[in-house]
Amino acid sequence: MKRIHRVACVALFLAFAGAAPAHAGPSCGCGDLADLRNRLCEARAAISEYTRQITMIRAQESRTGTPVMYTVPRYKEHVQPCVQEAINQVTDAAAHRPSADTDNACRINLKGDLTACLKETLTAHESIHVTVCKKWEDDRSKEGFFAELRGKFSDFREGTTMIDLLNEERAAYQTEINHVRNDLARLSRNMPPCPGLPAEPPGPPRIPTIEACPPPRPRPDPADSKCKHR
């Protein structure tokens, strides 16, 4: 548990502190602005919901004196529906909406309606999960042949607390935001500028105004919501 906690904290520090900023993706062009904005707004909504879930879990741990450990059913039942619901409230239905995950072999799997630009964006996000996975893989190999073999059939987040995992997810989404902001800043320097994206004036880099996200739509009625922790 302590091992994974350290890895997640390192990833979180790098992503939030900007120690290893993502480079702007050269595949993104003016036609990708709507997708970039959508990913940025979804990522912000996800981070906000993960933060809310962490606050609730910490309160539970304070009451019980026991850490809440990660399990796939616990995450899928108690956390994932709430995060997805928060994302859905800001999603642009007209934007491309691919998905990605990192498997237990530390491979990134990209799915859905994927553009070259979004491939780079999702890969930036998943790079945090790959870092955690590879550390888990390295530790297994140092423990001997049978531990390494057993690890091939295990979840690379085994032994992780829920808070560790949610911090890892926040780090991944923040890395994605950093990547998108770099793309937007690069596109704002285009001459002529992309339609709908103001040209960047001389002087220090600024945040392009396209980053403004729409106000979240109302969440479903609690009776119709899959999120059990509203």
Side-chain angles (χ1 to χ4, degrees), residues 90-156:
V90 300
T91 293
D92 177 359
H96 293 91
R97 298 191 64 191
S99 63
D101 61 43
T102 297
D103 62 26
N104 290 331
C106 306
R107 296 174 303 209
I108 297 174
N109 301 303
L110 301 166
K111 311 166 189 175
D113 194 2
L114 198 68
T115 64
C117 177
L118 288 179
K119 179 178 179 179
E120 292 174 348
T121 304
L122 292 175
T123 298
H125 175 117
E126 293 299 321
S127 68
I128 293 297
H129 302 313
V130 170
T131 297
V132 174
C133 181
K134 286 187 177 297
K135 180 61 169 62
W136 172 82
E137 200 174 55
D138 289 344
D139 288 347
R140 281 289 181 274
S141 66
K142 292 172 185 176
E143 292 172 8
F145 172 77
F146 290 106
E148 184 178 5
L149 182 63
R150 187 172 65 252
K152 298 298 182 184
F153 303 97
S154 303
D155 188 327
F156 74 87

Side-chain angles (χ1 to χ4, degrees), residues 23-37:
H23 295 291
S27 294
C28 297
C30 294
D32 297 299
L33 286 179
D35 287 345
L36 289 171
R37 181 186 184 190

